[in-house]
Amino acid sequence: MSTERIIRTFVEYFEERGHRRTTGSTLLPPSGDPVLFTTSGMHPLTPYLEGRPHPLGRRLVNVQRCLRTTDLEEVGDLTHLTVFEMLGTWSLGDYEGPQSLEWGYELLTEGFGVDPKLLHATVFGGDGQIGVDTPSLEVWRKHGVPVELAVEDNWWNSGPTGPCGPDSEIFLWTGDTPPHSTPTRDDRWVEVWNHVMMRHRRLDDGSLVPLPQRNIDTGMGLERLASLLQGRTSVFECDVFAPWRRLVPGLWALDEASLRLVCDHLRSAMVVIGDGVRPSNTGRGYVLRRLVRRVLTTLWRDDNSRELGSLPDELFRHTADHFRQETDVEGVRDVLREEEQRFRRLLERGRQVLARPRFRGPLDEEDLHYLHDTHGLPRDLVLSLREE
């Protein structure tokens, strides 16, 4: 099942059940939002989860592109990406958790053809404030799906304060043996879908108060789901990465971990640029700059003559088409090329500064602050140069 077919199947299934499709927004949150990038499908819908009527009604479905910097160091493993797409559904004060889980089970097993014997669920086990999520527990028991109770892993927060609630997560077994153990004990259980019963608001003092309405917020990572349905062992082997895995190794000889990082970060950088961000030393621009520099650091580790300008047009077009962006290929390429030249000049200056007698020994915090404030050399760059 191709990624595009997965999207169609998902959206049409929920449209048939009264959900209206919303247009997935860009990676950039509305003006005034303190978050740099949209991190989940629910982010643009926060006002409606808190009670404002949505113009399309109480049942919504969408596909939202997201960016998470919290997972940056994990990119290169089997499941994490920097920019990805989230399949989401919402009930804004309409149906409750059991109905959402019933539909989730039916779509996975009948719509996507997942063997029910390969499923496992986790459910909120209760704490001092909120009891066990018994309704969710009963749904899974009815379908014969094994359930594990957890507390911290099954409580969803939008932040230290704000909307929150218990959730039930659905996992798929990826091992080559019959399923055993539980999701918290065996990482061969891969989370595919999270159903949040968003009923509460956490206040500054840690207490909980009811939201004006009882909502359901579900999210499922598209690339992760595609890799599982396509029988792949990693998100980097699903069909959206096929052009990257076909073309990049012909440009640069990289080990598997480096190939994954380069493909993810370049693809992510293209999407960020396509949404209007440009490299800078602060905010969103710094995230973009960091992505590009991590790519270049990896590429230049073995050969500092490698250049981003040699990337084929197909990768730019494929990325823009997949994320539904109207992007000028040469414009995106120019941004990457300019950042590459800027980084190369910075590296040369950094090597010259670090060759001075003052910096030949161990560096302390005062040295690192001086190098940053006076010479514009970030800590991670300095440490990387010292390892050369």
Side-chain angles (χ1 to χ4, degrees):
M1 183 175 287
S2 70
T3 302
E4 291 306 314
R5 184 179 166 199
I6 291 171
I7 293 174
R8 287 197 306 272
T9 301
F10 179 85
V11 172
E12 290 173 2
Y13 178 89
F14 283 100
E15 285 180 332
E16 291 169 359
R17 286 152 184 80
H19 294 67
R20 301 283 299 279
R21 181 170 183 175
T22 67
T23 302
S25 65
T26 73
L27 288 172
L28 311 185
S31 176
D33 195 312
V35 178
L36 291 178
F37 292 100
T38 298
T39 59
S40 68
M42 65 78 62
H43 192 163
L45 296 173
T46 300
Y48 307 104
L49 292 165
E50 295 182 337
R52 181 190 302 177
H54 194 283
L56 294 180
R58 292 181 174 271
R59 297 184 181 188
L60 306 175
V61 59
N62 86 350
V63 183
Q64 170 68 51
R65 56 181 176 268
C66 306
L67 186 152
R68 292 184 183 173
T69 56
T70 53
D71 296 333
L72 208 56
E73 300 301 329
E74 298 183 62
V75 168
D77 67 3
L78 300 180
T79 60
H80 288 91
L81 297 170
T82 306
V83 168
F84 60 96
E85 290 196 289
M86 184 74 78
L87 305 174
T89 63
W90 292 270
S91 165
L92 304 176
D94 190 358
Y95 56 84
E96 295 271 358
Q99 179 64 81
S100 182
L101 295 177
E102 289 282 0
W103 283 336
Y105 177 81
E106 182 180 71
L107 178 56
L108 285 173
T109 57
E110 297 182 21
F112 292 136
V114 173
D115 184 348
K117 295 178 182 177
L118 299 180
L119 295 177
H120 203 301
T122 60
V123 168
F124 182 67
D127 58 15
Q129 292 178 291
I130 305 294
V132 177
D133 183 6
T134 304
S136 297
L137 194 61
E138 290 175 349
V139 169
W140 295 124
R141 285 177 174 169
K142 181 181 77 171
H143 289 290
V145 175
V147 180
E148 181 180 21
L149 296 178
V151 178
E152 292 185 5
D153 289 342
N154 283 93
W155 183 268
W156 190 92
N157 296 290
S158 60
T161 61
C164 58
D167 65 43
S168 181
E169 299 175 357
I170 308 173
F171 293 78
L172 181 61
W173 178 253
T174 62
D176 8 353
T177 66
H180 65 274
S181 190
T182 66
T184 63
R185 297 188 179 95
D186 195 323
D187 59 12
R188 286 176 293 180
W189 287 108
V190 175
E191 180 192 343
V192 292
W193 205 348
N194 188 14
H195 292 240
V196 181
M197 294 57 164
M198 199 175 296
R199 308 164 183 158
H200 311 277
R201 166 178 283 281
R202 190 173 297 281
L203 303 180
D204 291 333
D205 63 2
S207 63
L208 297 174
V209 296
L211 284 173
Q213 61 190 24
R214 293 163 68 89
N215 308 295
I216 302 298
D217 163 32
T218 84
M220 179 160 52
L222 173 61
E223 293 87 350
R224 183 180 297 184
L225 175 64
S227 67
L228 295 171
L229 295 181
Q230 293 166 14
R232 306 301 183 181
T233 57
S234 110
V235 290
F236 295 96
E237 295 174 2
C238 73
D239 59 343
V240 296
F241 278 97
W244 291 87
R245 297 194 71 92
R246 173 168 50 85
L247 295 171
V248 172
L251 287 177
W252 309 309
L254 300 167
D255 59 58
E256 180 63 23
S258 297
L259 176 64
R260 292 174 183 176
L261 184 147
V262 166
C263 291
D264 169 87
H265 283 16
L266 281 176
R267 176 177 179 260
S268 299
M270 290 176 186
V271 180
V272 174
I273 295 168
D275 273 355
V277 178
R278 295 296 179 266
S280 69
N281 289 327
T282 59
R284 298 185 182 105
Y286 182 70
V287 173
L288 173 58
R289 173 159 286 169
R290 189 177 176 203
L291 288 172
V292 176
R293 289 181 176 180
R294 281 168 62 91
V295 169
L296 293 171
T297 299
T298 301
L299 292 179
W300 292 345
R301 188 181 299 136
D302 298 323
D303 183 355
N304 64 9
S305 69
R306 291 168 171 169
E307 297 180 345
L308 300 183
S310 59
L311 286 167
D313 287 356
E314 181 181 345
L315 296 181
F316 291 88
R317 289 196 300 268
H318 179 270
T319 301
D321 290 346
H322 178 74
F323 286 95
R324 300 169 296 283
Q325 292 178 311
E326 296 182 5
T327 302
D328 171 24
V329 168
E330 284 309 308
V332 177
R333 190 192 304 276
D334 286 344
V335 173
L336 292 176
R337 187 184 290 115
E338 290 167 8
E339 185 61 18
E340 176 184 322
Q341 293 169 351
R342 187 179 294 110
F343 187 48
R344 194 180 290 278
R345 290 194 298 268
L346 182 62
L347 286 176
E348 292 173 358
R349 185 169 75 250
R351 292 188 182 97
Q352 292 173 2
V353 171
L354 291 176
R356 296 174 184 175
R358 170 180 174 178
F359 303 115
R360 289 177 183 169
L363 300 176
D364 56 24
E365 287 299 315
E366 183 179 348
D367 293 324
L368 292 171
H369 284 300
Y370 171 81
L371 289 167
H372 179 272
D373 295 342
T374 305
H375 297 282
L377 300 174
R379 172 191 294 262
D380 54 352
L381 174 63
V382 171
L383 298 178
S384 175
L385 288 173
R386 291 299 297 268
E387 292 175 359
E388 290 184 347

